[in-house]
Amino acid sequence: MIIAIDGPAASGKGTLAKRLAAHYGLPHLDTGLLYRAVARTLTDHGDPLDDGAAAVRAAQSLDLGHLDETRLRGRAMGEAASVVAAIPAVRAALVAWQRSFANRPEGAVLDGRDIGTVICPDASVKIFVTASAEERARRRHRELVSRGETVAYEDVLADIRRRDARDSGRAAAPLAAAADARLLDTTDLDIEQAFQAAVAHVDAARRETA
Ligand code: DC
């Protein structure tokens, strides 16, 4: 079973994907980390984020199985990842690895922006997770503060809006719900309620295909 979870920044899709993976005993891939790692490599080498050739080299040489999550999670890397993710050749360099992760015999849970539309269009279950920009900014602000970053809520909200516009407006694999994705708006749901709604959807989809 492949479960594809897509949605905008800080929608709760990562937490949901992790919990679904644990619940169904499946491996989980947070595909945002791949783009964050490309951005990190460019930053470490002092290369500009719009240097397409350097970004593709970085994508091709990533040690994809061993990404250091804590180094990649900060606010600056989210923004930088969104910039490199708009380069079509960077996306192309990461497709095969994501598909091979998804197509292992036991299945997998992948979360990102284009999993249901481009990476795994035949996924058994697709969920598009949304929440209002204000609620996503509140969550991301709480998370960043708990990680020790000093940042104002208004700045986080502006980041979220900028990232939404870039991720949805780019030509290559823009953020979009697949036509057959179930929409899950978590604005007024806590993590447990969102998880229960997702499990109900996955179980219903499994019964349909059984
Ligand atoms: O999910 P995240 O916030 O860690 O992702 C960081 C950026 O990477 C996001 O703004 C857009 C990009 N991304 C993407 O374009 N496609 C994916 N499948 C995952 C992330």
Side-chain angles (χ1 to χ4, degrees):
M1 171 170 66
I2 298 176
I3 303 179
I5 313 278
D6 289 302
S11 55
K13 65 186 184 318
T15 307
L16 198 58
K18 220 176 264 164
R19 288 207 47 188
L20 287 172
H23 182 77
Y24 292 106
L26 296 171
H28 167 227
L29 178 64
D30 170 353
T31 63
L33 286 181
L34 309 181
Y35 297 94
R36 286 170 181 261
V38 171
R40 177 100 217 180
T41 305
L42 292 180
T43 309
D44 286 352
H45 292 174
D47 292 324
L49 294 171
D50 61 356
D51 182 337
V56 170
R57 273 199 305 279
Q60 287 168 339
S61 56
L62 285 182
D63 185 0
L64 292 166
H66 300 94
L67 299 174
D68 178 357
E69 199 170 323
T70 44
R71 284 191 74 212
L72 300 172
R73 282 271 168 234
R75 177 180 168 213
M77 248 356 99
E79 173 67 17
S82 167
V83 175
V84 300
I87 303 172
V90 168
R91 307 196 70 82
L94 297 170
V95 167
W97 194 81
Q98 292 176 81
R99 287 198 180 135
S100 71
F101 188 97
N103 288 320
R104 47 182 77 194
E106 71 270 36
V109 181
L110 284 80
D111 75 84
R113 302 291 187 291
D114 63 341
I115 307 304
T117 51
V118 174
I119 303 296
C120 303
D122 297 325
S124 341
V125 185
K126 300 179 185 179
I127 301 177
F128 192 83
V129 187
T130 60
S132 71
E134 291 76 11
E135 177 57 24
R136 289 186 283 128
R138 269 191 290 278
R139 293 175 190 167
R140 180 52 53 89
H141 182 249
R142 262 200 310 271
E143 179 200 332
L144 291 170
V145 168
S146 76
R147 288 165 44 87
E149 289 200 36
T150 307
V151 57
Y153 165 80
E154 286 70 24
D155 292 338
V156 178
L157 179 59
D159 280 0
I160 294 255
R161 291 205 163 117
R162 195 169 43 245
R163 266 222 274 163
D164 282 357
R166 192 185 294 114
D167 294 346
S168 308
R170 69 184 177 218
L175 166 68
D180 52 349
R182 153 88 188 261
L183 296 186
L184 179 56
D185 187 333
T186 67
T187 305
D188 298 317
L189 303 183
D190 62 22
I191 291 169
E192 192 55 36
Q193 290 168 321
F195 173 64
Q196 293 303 338
V199 166
H201 178 58
V202 174
D203 288 348
R206 285 170 110 194
R207 276 195 301 274
E208 267 168 38
T209 54

PDB file of all heavy atoms in Angstrom, residues 72-97:
ATOM      1  N   LEU A  72      18.339  20.210   8.967  1.00  0.00           N
ATOM      2  CA  LEU A  72      17.588  20.662   7.793  1.00  0.00           C
ATOM      3  C   LEU A  72      16.259  21.331   8.136  1.00  0.00           C
ATOM      4  O   LEU A  72      15.612  21.918   7.278  1.00  0.00           O
ATOM      5  CB  LEU A  72      17.315  19.467   6.865  1.00  0.00           C
ATOM      6  CG  LEU A  72      18.565  18.754   6.340  1.00  0.00           C
ATOM      7  CD1 LEU A  72      18.170  17.479   5.589  1.00  0.00           C
ATOM      8  CD2 LEU A  72      19.372  19.663   5.430  1.00  0.00           C
ATOM      9  N   ARG A  73      15.856  21.247   9.394  1.00  0.00           N
ATOM     10  CA  ARG A  73      14.497  21.647   9.781  1.00  0.00           C
ATOM     11  C   ARG A  73      14.284  23.140   9.973  1.00  0.00           C
ATOM     12  O   ARG A  73      13.142  23.571  10.126  1.00  0.00           O
ATOM     13  CB  ARG A  73      14.104  20.950  11.086  1.00  0.00           C
ATOM     14  CG  ARG A  73      13.711  19.536  10.879  1.00  0.00           C
ATOM     15  CD  ARG A  73      12.227  19.420  10.585  1.00  0.00           C
ATOM     16  NE  ARG A  73      11.946  18.091  10.126  1.00  0.00           N
ATOM     17  CZ  ARG A  73      11.327  17.797   8.996  1.00  0.00           C
ATOM     18  NH1 ARG A  73      10.890  18.755   8.206  1.00  0.00           N
ATOM     19  NH2 ARG A  73      11.126  16.566   8.638  1.00  0.00           N
ATOM     20  N   GLY A  74      15.332  23.950  10.036  1.00  0.00           N
ATOM     21  CA  GLY A  74      15.194  25.374  10.397  1.00  0.00           C
ATOM     22  C   GLY A  74      14.398  26.183   9.383  1.00  0.00           C
ATOM     23  O   GLY A  74      14.098  25.729   8.280  1.00  0.00           O
ATOM     24  N   ARG A  75      14.070  27.413   9.789  1.00  0.00           N
ATOM     25  CA  ARG A  75      13.219  28.287   8.970  1.00  0.00           C
ATOM     26  C   ARG A  75      13.884  28.640   7.641  1.00  0.00           C
ATOM     27  O   ARG A  75      13.268  28.582   6.573  1.00  0.00           O
ATOM     28  CB  ARG A  75      12.958  29.545   9.795  1.00  0.00           C
ATOM     29  CG  ARG A  75      12.156  30.584   9.092  1.00  0.00           C
ATOM     30  CD  ARG A  75      11.969  31.786   9.999  1.00  0.00           C
ATOM     31  NE  ARG A  75      11.441  32.900   9.242  1.00  0.00           N
ATOM     32  CZ  ARG A  75      11.732  34.159   9.487  1.00  0.00           C
ATOM     33  NH1 ARG A  75      12.559  34.473  10.468  1.00  0.00           N
ATOM     34  NH2 ARG A  75      11.220  35.102   8.741  1.00  0.00           N
ATOM     35  N   ALA A  76      15.166  28.980   7.689  1.00  0.00           N
ATOM     36  CA  ALA A  76      15.867  29.428   6.476  1.00  0.00           C
ATOM     37  C   ALA A  76      15.905  28.311   5.434  1.00  0.00           C
ATOM     38  O   ALA A  76      15.776  28.560   4.228  1.00  0.00           O
ATOM     39  CB  ALA A  76      17.287  29.860   6.827  1.00  0.00           C
ATOM     40  N   MET A  77      16.066  27.073   5.887  1.00  0.00           N
ATOM     41  CA  MET A  77      16.188  25.966   4.918  1.00  0.00           C
ATOM     42  C   MET A  77      14.856  25.655   4.245  1.00  0.00           C
ATOM     43  O   MET A  77      14.838  25.206   3.092  1.00  0.00           O
ATOM     44  CB  MET A  77      16.722  24.713   5.620  1.00  0.00           C
ATOM     45  CG  MET A  77      18.101  24.264   5.227  1.00  0.00           C
ATOM     46  SD  MET A  77      18.932  25.155   3.919  1.00  0.00           S
ATOM     47  CE  MET A  77      19.962  26.206   4.885  1.00  0.00           C
ATOM     48  N   GLY A  78      13.741  25.912   4.920  1.00  0.00           N
ATOM     49  CA  GLY A  78      12.430  25.709   4.292  1.00  0.00           C
ATOM     50  C   GLY A  78      12.248  26.651   3.116  1.00  0.00           C
ATOM     51  O   GLY A  78      11.825  26.259   2.017  1.00  0.00           O
ATOM     52  N   GLU A  79      12.598  27.886   3.338  1.00  0.00           N
ATOM     53  CA  GLU A  79      12.493  28.908   2.293  1.00  0.00           C
ATOM     54  C   GLU A  79      13.458  28.578   1.134  1.00  0.00           C
ATOM     55  O   GLU A  79      13.084  28.615  -0.042  1.00  0.00           O
ATOM     56  CB  GLU A  79      12.829  30.270   2.933  1.00  0.00           C
ATOM     57  CG  GLU A  79      12.948  31.434   1.992  1.00  0.00           C
ATOM     58  CD  GLU A  79      11.628  31.819   1.345  1.00  0.00           C
ATOM     59  OE1 GLU A  79      10.572  31.407   1.842  1.00  0.00           O
ATOM     60  OE2 GLU A  79      11.672  32.521   0.318  1.00  0.00           O
ATOM     61  N   ALA A  80      14.685  28.222   1.474  1.00  0.00           N
ATOM     62  CA  ALA A  80      15.693  27.919   0.446  1.00  0.00           C
ATOM     63  C   ALA A  80      15.288  26.680  -0.354  1.00  0.00           C
ATOM     64  O   ALA A  80      15.468  26.619  -1.582  1.00  0.00           O
ATOM     65  CB  ALA A  80      17.063  27.720   1.100  1.00  0.00           C
ATOM     66  N   ALA A  81      14.699  25.697   0.338  1.00  0.00           N
ATOM     67  CA  ALA A  81      14.258  24.470  -0.339  1.00  0.00           C
ATOM     68  C   ALA A  81      13.188  24.793  -1.380  1.00  0.00           C
ATOM     69  O   ALA A  81      13.167  24.226  -2.482  1.00  0.00           O
ATOM     70  CB  ALA A  81      13.721  23.474   0.680  1.00  0.00           C
ATOM     71  N   SER A  82      12.301  25.711  -1.033  1.00  0.00           N
ATOM     72  CA  SER A  82      11.225  26.082  -1.943  1.00  0.00           C
ATOM     73  C   SER A  82      11.800  26.705  -3.233  1.00  0.00           C
ATOM     74  O   SER A  82      11.253  26.518  -4.319  1.00  0.00           O
ATOM     75  CB  SER A  82      10.291  27.045  -1.208  1.00  0.00           C
ATOM     76  OG  SER A  82       9.412  27.676  -2.074  1.00  0.00           O
ATOM     77  N   VAL A  83      12.924  27.410  -3.105  1.00  0.00           N
ATOM     78  CA  VAL A  83      13.565  28.026  -4.282  1.00  0.00           C
ATOM     79  C   VAL A  83      14.194  26.943  -5.175  1.00  0.00           C
ATOM     80  O   VAL A  83      13.928  26.882  -6.383  1.00  0.00           O
ATOM     81  CB  VAL A  83      14.636  29.063  -3.860  1.00  0.00           C
ATOM     82  CG1 VAL A  83      15.382  29.599  -5.072  1.00  0.00           C
ATOM     83  CG2 VAL A  83      13.987  30.200  -3.076  1.00  0.00           C
ATOM     84  N   VAL A  84      14.970  26.038  -4.601  1.00  0.00           N
ATOM     85  CA  VAL A  84      15.620  25.011  -5.447  1.00  0.00           C
ATOM     86  C   VAL A  84      14.598  24.026  -6.011  1.00  0.00           C
ATOM     87  O   VAL A  84      14.791  23.474  -7.104  1.00  0.00           O
ATOM     88  CB  VAL A  84      16.759  24.248  -4.724  1.00  0.00           C
ATOM     89  CG1 VAL A  84      17.864  25.176  -4.280  1.00  0.00           C
ATOM     90  CG2 VAL A  84      16.254  23.422  -3.569  1.00  0.00           C
ATOM     91  N   ALA A  85      13.484  23.832  -5.273  1.00  0.00           N
ATOM     92  CA  ALA A  85      12.464  22.874  -5.718  1.00  0.00           C
ATOM     93  C   ALA A  85      11.736  23.353  -6.973  1.00  0.00           C
ATOM     94  O   ALA A  85      11.054  22.566  -7.632  1.00  0.00           O
ATOM     95  CB  ALA A  85      11.449  22.627  -4.600  1.00  0.00           C
ATOM     96  N   ALA A  86      11.870  24.638  -7.301  1.00  0.00           N
ATOM     97  CA  ALA A  86      11.220  25.151  -8.511  1.00  0.00           C
ATOM     98  C   ALA A  86      12.059  24.882  -9.764  1.00  0.00           C
ATOM     99  O   ALA A  86      11.597  25.129 -10.878  1.00  0.00           O
ATOM    100  CB  ALA A  86      10.957  26.653  -8.358  1.00  0.00           C
ATOM    101  N   ILE A  87      13.279  24.361  -9.596  1.00  0.00           N
ATOM    102  CA  ILE A  87      14.152  24.090 -10.757  1.00  0.00           C
ATOM    103  C   ILE A  87      13.800  22.696 -11.307  1.00  0.00           C
ATOM    104  O   ILE A  87      14.003  21.688 -10.615  1.00  0.00           O
ATOM    105  CB  ILE A  87      15.646  24.144 -10.345  1.00  0.00           C
ATOM    106  CG1 ILE A  87      15.973  25.511  -9.719  1.00  0.00           C
ATOM    107  CG2 ILE A  87      16.549  23.828 -11.534  1.00  0.00           C
ATOM    108  CD1 ILE A  87      17.370  25.606  -9.094  1.00  0.00           C
ATOM    109  N   PRO A  88      13.249  22.607 -12.529  1.00  0.00           N
ATOM    110  CA  PRO A  88      12.782  21.310 -13.027  1.00  0.00           C
ATOM    111  C   PRO A  88      13.853  20.211 -13.004  1.00  0.00           C
ATOM    112  O   PRO A  88      13.555  19.069 -12.657  1.00  0.00           O
ATOM    113  CB  PRO A  88      12.356  21.628 -14.475  1.00  0.00           C
ATOM    114  CG  PRO A  88      12.022  23.080 -14.466  1.00  0.00           C
ATOM    115  CD  PRO A  88      12.955  23.720 -13.466  1.00  0.00           C
ATOM    116  N   ALA A  89      15.110  20.550 -13.320  1.00  0.00           N
ATOM    117  CA  ALA A  89      16.152  19.512 -13.371  1.00  0.00           C
ATOM    118  C   ALA A  89      16.479  18.973 -11.979  1.00  0.00           C
ATOM    119  O   ALA A  89      16.895  17.808 -11.843  1.00  0.00           O
ATOM    120  CB  ALA A  89      17.417  20.071 -14.035  1.00  0.00           C
ATOM    121  N   VAL A  90      16.287  19.784 -10.956  1.00  0.00           N
ATOM    122  CA  VAL A  90      16.496  19.297  -9.582  1.00  0.00           C
ATOM    123  C   VAL A  90      15.413  18.274  -9.251  1.00  0.00           C
ATOM    124  O   VAL A  90      15.682  17.186  -8.732  1.00  0.00           O
ATOM    125  CB  VAL A  90      16.459  20.472  -8.568  1.00  0.00           C
ATOM    126  CG1 VAL A  90      16.383  19.958  -7.135  1.00  0.00           C
ATOM    127  CG2 VAL A  90      17.663  21.379  -8.765  1.00  0.00           C
ATOM    128  N   ARG A  91      14.172  18.597  -9.598  1.00  0.00           N
ATOM    129  CA  ARG A  91      13.069  17.668  -9.339  1.00  0.00           C
ATOM    130  C   ARG A  91      13.298  16.353 -10.091  1.00  0.00           C
ATOM    131  O   ARG A  91      13.114  15.271  -9.550  1.00  0.00           O
ATOM    132  CB  ARG A  91      11.724  18.277  -9.752  1.00  0.00           C
ATOM    133  CG  ARG A  91      11.430  19.642  -9.158  1.00  0.00           C
ATOM    134  CD  ARG A  91       9.974  20.007  -9.282  1.00  0.00           C
ATOM    135  NE  ARG A  91       9.167  19.176  -8.407  1.00  0.00           N
ATOM    136  CZ  ARG A  91       8.985  19.400  -7.107  1.00  0.00           C
ATOM    137  NH1 ARG A  91       9.520  20.450  -6.528  1.00  0.00           N
ATOM    138  NH2 ARG A  91       8.260  18.586  -6.382  1.00  0.00           N
ATOM    139  N   ALA A  92      13.711  16.492 -11.362  1.00  0.00           N
ATOM    140  CA  ALA A  92      13.918  15.296 -12.187  1.00  0.00           C
ATOM    141  C   ALA A  92      14.988  14.393 -11.568  1.00  0.00           C
ATOM    142  O   ALA A  92      14.864  13.163 -11.583  1.00  0.00           O
ATOM    143  CB  ALA A  92      14.312  15.714 -13.607  1.00  0.00           C
ATOM    144  N   ALA A  93      16.027  15.002 -10.981  1.00  0.00           N
ATOM    145  CA  ALA A  93      17.127  14.216 -10.410  1.00  0.00           C
ATOM    146  C   ALA A  93      16.678  13.417  -9.188  1.00  0.00           C
ATOM    147  O   ALA A  93      17.347  12.462  -8.795  1.00  0.00           O
ATOM    148  CB  ALA A  93      18.287  15.147 -10.039  1.00  0.00           C
ATOM    149  N   LEU A  94      15.546  13.804  -8.598  1.00  0.00           N
ATOM    150  CA  LEU A  94      15.111  13.149  -7.351  1.00  0.00           C
ATOM    151  C   LEU A  94      13.937  12.188  -7.543  1.00  0.00           C
ATOM    152  O   LEU A  94      13.519  11.513  -6.611  1.00  0.00           O
ATOM    153  CB  LEU A  94      14.738  14.222  -6.317  1.00  0.00           C
ATOM    154  CG  LEU A  94      15.901  15.127  -5.880  1.00  0.00           C
ATOM    155  CD1 LEU A  94      15.386  16.297  -5.044  1.00  0.00           C
ATOM    156  CD2 LEU A  94      16.945  14.338  -5.101  1.00  0.00           C
ATOM    157  N   VAL A  95      13.412  12.115  -8.770  1.00  0.00           N
ATOM    158  CA  VAL A  95      12.206  11.301  -9.014  1.00  0.00           C
ATOM    159  C   VAL A  95      12.463   9.809  -8.809  1.00  0.00           C
ATOM    160  O   VAL A  95      11.722   9.128  -8.092  1.00  0.00           O
ATOM    161  CB  VAL A  95      11.647  11.553 -10.428  1.00  0.00           C
ATOM    162  CG1 VAL A  95      10.620  10.489 -10.795  1.00  0.00           C
ATOM    163  CG2 VAL A  95      11.015  12.926 -10.527  1.00  0.00           C
ATOM    164  N   ALA A  96      13.517   9.288  -9.432  1.00  0.00           N
ATOM    165  CA  ALA A  96      13.726   7.830  -9.429  1.00  0.00           C
ATOM    166  C   ALA A  96      13.891   7.311  -7.999  1.00  0.00           C
ATOM    167  O   ALA A  96      13.322   6.270  -7.637  1.00  0.00           O
ATOM    168  CB  ALA A  96      14.947   7.479 -10.281  1.00  0.00           C
ATOM    169  N   TRP A  97      14.647   8.037  -7.194  1.00  0.00           N
ATOM    170  CA  TRP A  97      14.881   7.559  -5.827  1.00  0.00           C
ATOM    171  C   TRP A  97      13.576   7.535  -5.032  1.00  0.00           C
ATOM    172  O   TRP A  97      13.282   6.575  -4.315  1.00  0.00           O
ATOM    173  CB  TRP A  97      15.922   8.426  -5.128  1.00  0.00           C
ATOM    174  CG  TRP A  97      16.431   7.769  -3.884  1.00  0.00           C
ATOM    175  CD1 TRP A  97      17.397   6.801  -3.800  1.00  0.00           C
ATOM    176  CD2 TRP A  97      15.960   7.985  -2.550  1.00  0.00           C
ATOM    177  NE1 TRP A  97      17.553   6.405  -2.499  1.00  0.00           N
ATOM    178  CE2 TRP A  97      16.690   7.121  -1.708  1.00  0.00           C
ATOM    179  CE3 TRP A  97      14.999   8.828  -1.986  1.00  0.00           C
ATOM    180  CZ2 TRP A  97      16.497   7.072  -0.335  1.00  0.00           C
ATOM    181  CZ3 TRP A  97      14.800   8.771  -0.612  1.00  0.00           C
ATOM    182  CH2 TRP A  97      15.545   7.913   0.203  1.00  0.00           C
TER     183      TRP A  97
END
